[in-house]
Amino acid sequence: MDAVDIADRRGRIHRLALRRYTDAPRLGNDPWYDPRNEARALSLLESTDVPAPRLVDVDLTGAVWGAPALLTSRIPGRTVSRPADMHRFLGELARTLVRIHAVSAPAASGLLGYAPYTPGAEISPPQWTTVPGLWERVLRLIAGPPPSAPRGFIHRDYHPAQTLFVRGRLRGVVDWTTACTGPPDVDLARMRINLAWDFGPAVAERFVSAFATESGRPGPHPYWELVDCADCLPDMAEPGSDEELRQLRRFERHVASLAAAFG
């Protein structure tokens, strides 16, 4: 991802962002690493009030930029890792997610349909865990049929690092590569995983309350949350520091609460 400033013929400067898909082995093999999908998502968002980048140009062959690429508007702001006002921070995240879920995604949009990155049958308890029995239970719970759930437009990877803030207000949501149609609970699950990881399960629970206030909907079904938690395991390495170990323990406390809620 690069910042690109372009001057037009009148000398006006356009502040843009260039995203290049440079992992050649994944192109064509990983359906969630496809510039066409992100382009479709951004085109769909063009006429909405979701604060997403606006698509300027697409280079699917790499003829212009050396790799398949998307050129988009550049949203000002920064990610917030330590919010000064957690209540306001969670409210901004929840309100924006309600706007995302209000987007209509007709079949003609060509977006992918949700599926876990890794099937549950291919996942095993991680070596770093001190509670393998917890993960064995999780994998048993998600092996059953999924509960009925509405399908709609979802970001698929919605969490604080994908958001940009200006003076406490959420001004942008980025990285729409894995946007798709699927259960909205998946977006809540991914956000709560990251909040639990960074701040602990209590903050993740507060996000559910904030979302319920903004949307009028109940919290996510534990099934979808556990599916998304298990989906994270293949990318989780052994902790390399005390802080990473603390993050993993916070994550597992969150998973344990979800498993208990599942019954």
Side-chain angles (χ1 to χ4, degrees):
M1 180 72 79
D2 295 288
V4 178
D5 291 348
I6 296 178
D8 64 20
R9 291 186 178 91
R10 296 182 179 181
R12 293 175 300 187
I13 301 298
H14 301 268
R15 293 173 172 83
L16 306 176
L18 176 68
R19 179 169 190 160
R20 290 180 289 179
Y21 287 71
T22 58
D23 191 341
R26 288 181 66 188
L27 285 166
N29 295 315
D30 182 351
W32 300 105
Y33 188 75
D34 187 343
R36 292 172 297 182
N37 193 65
E38 184 166 17
R40 290 169 184 144
L42 293 179
S43 296
L44 195 65
L45 293 167
E46 185 73 34
S47 60
T48 74
D49 65 352
V50 174
R54 298 314 184 201
L55 189 62
V56 176
D57 203 2
V58 181
D59 175 18
L60 293 179
T61 66
V64 177
W65 298 103
L70 302 180
L71 190 64
T72 71
S73 61
R74 193 161 85 225
I75 300 176
R78 63 182 181 88
T79 57
V80 175
S81 59
R82 289 291 180 267
D85 184 338
M86 183 63 76
H87 178 77
R88 182 179 182 183
F89 179 66
L90 296 176
E92 289 287 317
L93 294 171
R95 276 189 291 276
T96 302
L97 186 55
V98 171
R99 292 160 71 182
I100 291 171
H101 290 169
V103 175
S104 175
S109 67
L111 285 175
L112 295 172
Y114 167 81
Y117 298 124
T118 305
E122 299 178 13
I123 299 174
S124 57
Q127 292 188 350
W128 46 259
T129 186
T130 59
V131 284
L134 169 63
W135 290 109
E136 290 167 358
R137 184 180 178 213
V138 167
L139 294 173
R140 288 195 302 271
L141 289 172
I142 64 175
S148 60
R151 290 289 199 271
F153 180 75
I154 62 175
H155 182 281
R156 179 68 172 87
D157 195 24
Y158 186 66
H159 58 81
Q162 308 284 37
T163 62
L164 298 171
F165 281 75
V166 176
R167 296 188 180 90
R169 298 293 302 274
L170 197 159
R171 296 301 189 190
V173 180
V174 297
D175 194 3
W176 295 86
T177 303
T178 56
C180 61
T181 57
D185 283 358
V186 171
D187 277 341
L188 277 80
R190 184 53 58 116
M191 176 60 73
R192 275 164 48 83
I193 287 171
N194 282 268
L195 291 173
W197 182 273
D198 289 332
F199 307 110
V203 172
E205 196 62 31
R206 286 174 62 185
F207 177 72
V208 170
S209 298
F211 183 79
T213 298
E214 297 295 334
S215 67
R217 286 185 48 219
H221 193 289
Y223 173 89
W224 298 111
E225 295 212 85
L226 290 175
V227 165
D228 208 45
C229 288
D231 216 10
C232 292
L233 292 181
D235 294 325
M236 289 185 174
E238 290 277 349
S241 66
D242 289 343
E243 176 55 26
E244 289 181 3
L245 180 60
R246 285 191 289 270
Q247 289 175 323
L248 287 172
R249 296 296 172 254
R250 289 195 291 264
F251 171 62
E252 287 194 311
R253 289 199 301 273
H254 175 60
V255 173
S257 69
L258 295 173
F262 201 99

